[in-house]
Amino acid sequence: MNINSIKIFLLIFISSTFLSCNGQEKIESKIIKTKSFEFGKTVSNLADRIWVIFQDSKENYWFGSNGEGIFHLNEKDLKQITTENGLVNNTIRGIQEDKSGNIFIETANGISKYDGKSLTTLKPIVSAKNKWKLEPNDLWFGYNANDLYRYDGDSLFELKLPRQNLKKTFGIDTLVSPFNNNNLYSVYKVNKDKDGNIWFGTFVAGAFRYDGQSFMWFGENELSILPNGTAPGVRSILQDKDGYFWLSNFISKYQIEPQKLVYDKIIGIEKDNPYYFNSGLSDINGDLWMTNYGGMVWKYDGKTLSEIEINNEEKDVLLITIYQDNNGIIWLGTDNDGVYKSNGKSFEKFEPNN
């Protein structure tokens, strides 16, 4: 196995654990418990495995770890919050904020809502009626669901994406996987585009775009199982300043024709391996930033693709996520070396108390 194959395998293995291995309990209630909340314990350092980074509207930073709970940074006051404080699970997979300032923490075993005073564990309403809607203030979650969840500010609804003929398109109808209960439609990534449409990236069922009334399906081979048997998954969905969409890979970009509600696939960026990225963002200038697990950051301004390698001189840095804060500063979360922060030219290891 060559080094590129090893990196692809590691990327798939690590990123695939974003999905819960446990089936969702089918009960119909909005919350199951509210626990008296003690705001964590004071710590000096972040965990090595930081998979999620978020800055809230009050300028506080939240760092979600893979197994050690969540870290809250208010200036130089760093707190670690775990299940001992009421968090539903210590494995963090996403962080969001609603219009009222409540923080929603996605974990491998459910969603915790923090209102500034207490932590509440949300439970989904599971219904055969599949209550699809698209409202500006909805929150969407992809982890620990059969497909995905929509939260309307009051209730959490579990939803199913429209099933496609995957056997005809990709030659698959079942897939044995230890990561996602063999659900081909498990959602890895949710994004909104500039027009407010919602996008869903899946395990091997391609990508979907929902405009509030209908779905557009992106059933392309590079978005499913590859010829070598790997399944990169659609883990990042980006829209560039020219309106093209990039779905976790450099191979192709997509352009939607609004009047016809169809898309065109266009050749992306020609580059050497790896062809896929596991996290990305569009910065305040409209430039794209992408990362892969092997420790490489790319910046694409629409013409030139430049590379930045992250290395601490002692070990290879394994990148999981890239994030841009409220001030336009770019951060990196890693699987083995904490957090890196951009200084405008390169990335430096972030130490909370420095």
Side-chain angles (χ1 to χ4, degrees):
M1 183 179 290
N2 60 37
I3 188 65
N4 288 327
S5 297
I6 292 172
K7 287 182 177 179
I8 290 174
F9 173 79
L10 288 174
L11 166 62
I12 294 164
F13 178 78
I14 293 296
S15 298
S16 292
T17 57
F18 275 172
L19 295 172
S20 171
C21 299
N22 299 318
Q24 180 64 46
E25 184 181 5
K26 307 298 181 183
I27 64 174
E28 296 203 5
S29 62
K30 296 175 183 178
I31 61 175
I32 57 170
K33 62 182 178 181
T34 299
K35 185 171 182 177
S36 178
F37 180 71
E38 180 182 352
F39 199 70
K41 65 177 181 180
T42 299
V43 293
S44 300
N45 299 300
L46 297 170
D48 286 336
R49 306 181 74 186
I50 299 295
W51 284 30
V52 185
I53 301 171
F54 180 76
Q55 186 182 26
D56 64 28
S57 58
K58 298 177 182 178
E59 304 299 312
N60 302 306
Y61 288 94
W62 301 77
F63 302 95
S65 76
N66 186 39
E68 298 181 54
I70 195 165
F71 295 80
H72 177 273
L73 180 62
N74 180 0
E75 295 183 349
K76 290 189 178 292
D77 182 22
L78 184 65
K79 300 279 190 178
Q80 182 181 13
I81 303 160
T82 67
T83 52
E84 294 182 0
N85 311 112
L87 193 64
V88 65
N89 189 273
N90 288 330
T91 300
I92 312 302
R93 293 294 177 256
I95 306 167
Q96 300 183 60
E97 182 178 11
D98 68 12
K99 63 178 181 178
S100 300
N102 300 305
I103 301 297
F104 293 78
I105 304 167
E106 293 179 76
T107 80
N109 196 34
I111 300 168
S112 291
K113 175 185 175 183
Y114 175 57
D115 63 4
K117 298 179 181 179
S118 61
L119 279 166
T120 299
T121 302
L122 303 182
K123 278 292 183 179
I125 294 175
V126 181
S127 171
K129 294 184 178 181
N130 222 20
K131 298 181 179 180
W132 280 96
K133 288 185 179 180
L134 181 57
E135 302 292 343
N137 295 317
D138 285 346
L139 299 181
W140 298 82
F141 308 93
Y143 306 120
N144 197 48
N146 286 331
D147 283 12
L148 71 150
Y149 298 129
R150 177 179 67 88
Y151 182 71
D152 65 0
D154 180 56
S155 299
L156 183 70
F157 298 96
E158 185 172 74
L159 302 175
K160 286 185 67 175
L161 290 166
R163 269 34 184 176
Q164 307 297 319
N165 192 337
L166 302 185
K167 187 172 184 178
K168 179 180 178 181
T169 305
F170 302 131
I172 57 173
D173 54 1
T174 59
L175 187 67
V176 177
S177 169
F179 304 119
N180 66 347
N181 291 332
N182 304 329
N183 180 8
L184 310 182
Y185 293 80
S186 294
V187 171
Y188 279 165
K189 188 64 177 179
V190 182
N191 275 98
K192 278 190 176 181
D193 64 26
K194 296 173 184 177
D195 297 319
N197 304 301
I198 196 84
W199 290 70
F200 309 103
T202 74
F203 174 34
V204 295
F208 293 80
R209 170 185 176 268
Y210 178 60
D211 63 7
Q213 297 185 5
S214 60
F215 288 88
M216 183 183 298
W217 181 48
F218 292 71
E220 300 293 337
N221 289 329
E222 65 266 25
L223 307 181
S224 186
I225 299 177
L226 304 183
N228 64 2
T230 61
V234 181
R235 306 178 187 279
S236 187
I237 301 168
L238 307 179
Q239 184 178 13
D240 67 22
K241 50 193 169 187
D242 296 319
Y244 294 109
F245 292 93
W246 300 78
L247 307 181
S248 273
N249 69 87
F250 296 100
I251 301 168
S252 305
K253 59 184 178 181
Y254 302 88
Q255 183 179 40
I256 296 174
E257 299 183 22
Q259 303 302 322
K260 299 180 181 179
L261 289 179
V262 296
Y263 68 86
D264 291 326
K265 185 168 74 168
I266 302 167
I267 295 175
I269 304 171
E270 294 185 6
K271 68 177 301 296
D272 296 330
N273 279 329
Y275 301 117
Y276 290 81
F277 54 91
N278 62 340
S279 184
L281 61 86
S282 176
D283 69 17
I284 56 178
N285 298 316
D287 296 333
L288 301 185
W289 295 75
M290 303 94 147
T291 68
N292 81 324
Y293 188 66
M296 188 67 70
V297 178
W298 293 277
K299 181 181 179 182
Y300 182 59
D301 63 6
K303 296 181 179 179
T304 304
L305 183 70
S306 54
E307 299 181 354
I308 304 171
E309 186 173 5
I310 310 301
N311 198 312
N312 70 358
E313 297 183 356
E314 295 181 0
K315 58 185 175 182
D316 292 332
V317 179
L318 307 177
L319 299 179
I320 293 293
T321 190
I322 185 167
Y323 175 78
Q324 182 172 240
D325 68 17
N326 302 340
N327 300 310
I329 298 172
I330 294 179
W331 300 70
L332 302 171
T334 80
D335 194 42
N336 65 343
D337 202 26
V339 171
Y340 282 73
K341 180 180 179 182
S342 173
N343 60 16
K345 296 181 179 180
S346 61
F347 288 90
E348 298 176 342
K349 181 72 178 291
F350 175 67
E351 303 293 347
N353 296 310
N354 289 344

